[in-house]
Amino acid sequence: MSSPSPLCAASCSTALRAPPPLLRFRRSAAPVSASVARAAPAVSDDLVLRIAEQLEDSVTSSSPLLDPLRSASALSLLSTPWPTRRSSEAFRFTDISYLRSFPISLPSRAPDLAPPASPFPSHVLFSDGLLVSASGVHVSALADLPPGRARDRAAAALAASAEFAHKDLFYDFNAVGARDVVVVHVPEGVKAADDPVHIMFAYTNRGVESMLMSNPRILVVAEKEAEVAIVEEHFGAGEEGGCYWANPVAEIIVDAGARVVHSYLQRQSFDAAHTKWTVVQQDASSKYEFVEVSTGAKLNRHNLHIQQLGPETETELSTLHLTSQNKQIHDLHSKLILDHPRAFSRQLHKCIACCTGNSIFDGNIKVNRYAQQTDAGQETKCLILSPKALVNVKPNLQIIADDVKCTHGAAISGELDPNELFYFQARGINAQTATDALLYFFGAHVIKRIPFKPINEKALAEFKELLASSRQTTDEALLS
């Protein structure tokens, strides 16, 4: 393997006094708002600018509706340093230095792969971040949207995304590097939750001397009283052990009285990096149901941000992370902001840390002054199955309102409940079989919340297989 290029060898913490000559951000005709412009001081980070330059050069054509977002993010990158564990509280426990291990390359065309089969009639395929196909009544590429309601909503949503205040470096990278956006638009009153849109993201590694970076983006709009289900699946499709960097963004708008059911599976190559943003806006009386199962990638970081825009919303979040490989990092940073009365939310986070893996959970629920009569609950349960594994959890409730019902709790254990083990053994089941069964049901509790049987069964089978393989990897780590 060749040595890393100066791109990866550059110090990530060095700030330059002026942008280097290589930066040539091409400004679109779309104006950047004054608030965005004021927020960007004239300092730069060499590594960030080099990657941003590559991303911009790779986008030869795109929909003009992306221009406001692309311009705002390009401007933001001028003043964004590379985050480190020392410099950024949000990355205090998350080591992302793996992203600097190889030079970054970008796809020029979609690889020649046989399209994976989908059990659902509405499906989308991205390959290395490039849109290959999209089929379904409510599905379209942004560039193909005809004038009308769907195009107007997509334009407004993307323009609003340019003002997103909670973004980070990876969100901006995606905005600059996205070639197209898949738009799922469900009109007012349409009920489509029983026929999910299956969005498949396939990733490959075309060479061993670089890390192929891709930036797919999706936008889901459920209008008033509409219902829609999304199955988002990320997986490696190239050679086993492929090294690549997936950097997807999903934006979901849930209008008044609407319902979105969102299932998200991440089973990347164990040499891949996966940095993802999910941004959700919930209007009055809307419902958002989210289930995540993440088992792949060497580095996995998910930022989940949910903003309440009206009263009486319902939000249900369920997550399972499994670190079954040595030096595997899984990180969930979630934020739920409640600004209106009578919200109901429940969050369950589970993780199993094996071998020398590291699992991080930073969950923040903010109940602001006018969010009276809120009922919010948050719970995290973690199992550490190896003395060399590591778990960092930070459940966090910030309550300003004074008439609320809010609870949170964290449980971290290095062993299974002895009473449960005894229950099995008292019925003639040996200790190893009992342990396997309890670990399986610990994770299956979350996986079975995926409401679609084909996806549910596949996730359960892969989870069971990874649990079996992690036992051997853990034993090897203990002997090393």
Side-chain angles (χ1 to χ4, degrees):
M1 183 178 298
S2 67
S3 59
S5 73
L7 166 62
C8 295
S11 169
C12 292
S13 59
T14 302
L16 304 182
R17 294 185 178 180
L22 58 81
L23 183 64
R24 303 184 305 276
F25 285 127
R26 292 182 292 275
R27 299 298 178 203
S28 67
V32 178
S33 70
S35 62
V36 173
R38 287 195 301 268
V43 295
S44 307
D45 184 291
D46 183 61
L47 179 59
V48 173
L49 294 180
R50 288 176 184 271
I51 297 176
E53 170 80 5
Q54 287 182 271
L55 291 171
E56 189 187 51
D57 286 345
S58 72
V59 181
T60 56
S61 63
S62 65
S63 169
L65 298 182
L66 276 169
D67 288 348
L69 174 60
R70 197 185 306 281
S71 295
S73 288
L75 187 63
S76 177
L77 288 172
L78 291 174
S79 60
T80 303
W82 186 271
T84 66
R85 297 179 67 179
R86 285 189 176 184
S87 66
S88 174
E89 178 64 25
F91 290 85
R92 179 183 174 188
F93 300 112
T94 309
D95 182 3
I96 62 170
S97 60
Y98 181 62
L99 295 175
R100 302 169 55 197
S101 300
F102 303 93
I104 301 299
S105 61
L106 297 168
S108 57
R109 60 179 180 83
D112 297 326
L113 295 174
S118 173
F120 308 108
S122 297
H123 55 268
V124 175
L125 175 61
F126 281 94
S127 187
D128 288 339
L130 306 179
L131 180 59
V132 175
S133 62
S135 64
V137 177
H138 307 296
V139 182
S140 176
L142 178 66
D144 297 334
L145 282 175
R149 177 69 175 172
R151 182 181 173 87
D152 292 344
R153 287 299 304 268
L158 292 169
S161 298
E163 302 284 348
F164 183 48
H166 302 273
K167 63 183 180 178
D168 68 358
L169 174 80
F170 304 123
Y171 185 95
D172 283 332
F173 277 162
N174 178 281
V176 173
R179 310 286 182 91
D180 202 351
V181 180
V182 163
V183 179
V184 180
H185 176 261
V186 184
E188 180 177 341
V190 173
K191 310 295 184 183
D194 294 331
D195 180 20
V197 180
H198 187 195
I199 307 178
M200 298 171 285
F201 300 81
Y203 304 92
T204 64
N205 176 35
R206 298 178 184 174
V208 296
E209 297 182 354
S210 66
M211 179 178 284
L212 189 69
M213 182 186 186
S214 55
N215 297 277
R217 194 179 191 99
I218 65 173
L219 170 64
V220 180
V221 180
E223 295 206 341
K224 184 178 180 181
E225 302 294 337
E227 294 185 2
V228 64
I230 304 295
V231 176
E232 192 180 346
E233 190 172 6
H234 299 258
F235 54 91
E239 297 180 2
E240 186 175 354
C243 174
Y244 52 83
W245 177 5
N247 185 44
V249 169
E251 293 185 285
I252 300 173
I253 298 173
V254 195
D255 283 354
R259 174 175 173 242
V260 172
V261 180
H262 185 190
S263 303
Y264 162 56
L265 288 84
Q266 184 275 110
R267 49 185 185 89
Q268 301 281 24
S269 156
F270 290 122
D271 287 325
H274 187 84
T275 54
K276 173 177 167 57
W277 268 92
T278 302
V279 181
V280 182
Q281 297 179 19
Q282 281 190 259
D283 214 327
S285 303
S286 65
K287 187 170 185 178
Y288 177 66
E289 304 167 43
F290 175 74
V291 181
E292 172 185 354
V293 179
S294 287
T295 57
K298 186 179 184 72
L299 168 63
N300 172 50
R301 164 87 172 204
H302 184 197
N303 289 285
L304 174 61
H305 182 93
I306 303 171
Q307 176 76 57
Q308 183 198 35
L309 302 180
E312 300 179 354
T313 57
E314 293 184 38
T315 309
E316 297 182 10
L317 312 174
S318 305
T319 304
L320 172 67
H321 283 189
L322 169 64
T323 57
S324 62
Q325 308 295 309
N326 285 325
K327 298 183 179 179
Q328 189 177 12
I329 299 173
H330 275 201
D331 177 4
L332 173 64
H333 268 61
S334 67
K335 191 176 187 71
L336 171 61
I337 302 176
L338 303 175
D339 287 316
H340 300 270
R342 298 179 297 281
F344 176 88
S345 72
R346 289 292 182 269
Q347 181 174 25
L348 172 64
H349 167 265
K350 284 190 170 187
C351 77
I352 301 176
C354 309
C355 312
T356 58
N358 181 11
S359 184
I360 303 105
F361 171 60
D362 188 324
N364 179 266
I365 299 177
K366 189 171 184 180
V367 185
N368 286 323
R369 178 181 177 184
Y370 297 108
Q372 303 293 344
Q373 299 179 351
T374 287
D375 184 349
Q378 183 185 62
E379 184 179 18
T380 177
K381 296 181 178 181
C382 305
L383 284 176
I384 304 177
L385 302 184
S386 166
K388 294 186 178 182
L390 180 63
V391 167
N392 290 285
V393 297
K394 185 183 175 184
N396 184 10
L397 277 172
Q398 294 178 278
I399 305 172
I400 301 175
D402 54 13
D403 179 15
V404 298
K405 177 183 178 182
C406 296
T407 61
H408 68 155
I412 303 175
S413 177
E415 60 182 15
L416 294 168
D417 188 337
N419 293 326
E420 293 177 346
L421 287 171
F422 177 77
Y423 177 88
F424 279 87
Q425 291 176 298
R427 285 152 179 80
I429 299 174
N430 64 52
Q432 186 60 63
T433 303
T435 298
D436 291 345
L438 289 173
L439 289 175
Y440 175 80
F441 286 112
F442 180 86
H445 180 225
V446 172
I447 297 174
K448 288 185 176 181
R449 296 186 179 189
I450 298 173
F452 306 107
K453 189 174 181 179
I455 304 299
N456 185 310
E457 291 179 343
K458 181 167 63 174
L460 285 171
E462 291 175 351
F463 173 67
K464 185 177 182 179
E465 182 180 346
L466 287 172
L467 280 178
S469 66
S470 68
R471 186 185 307 117
Q472 180 180 353
T473 308
T474 298
D475 293 340
E476 293 173 354
L478 293 174
L479 294 174
S480 62

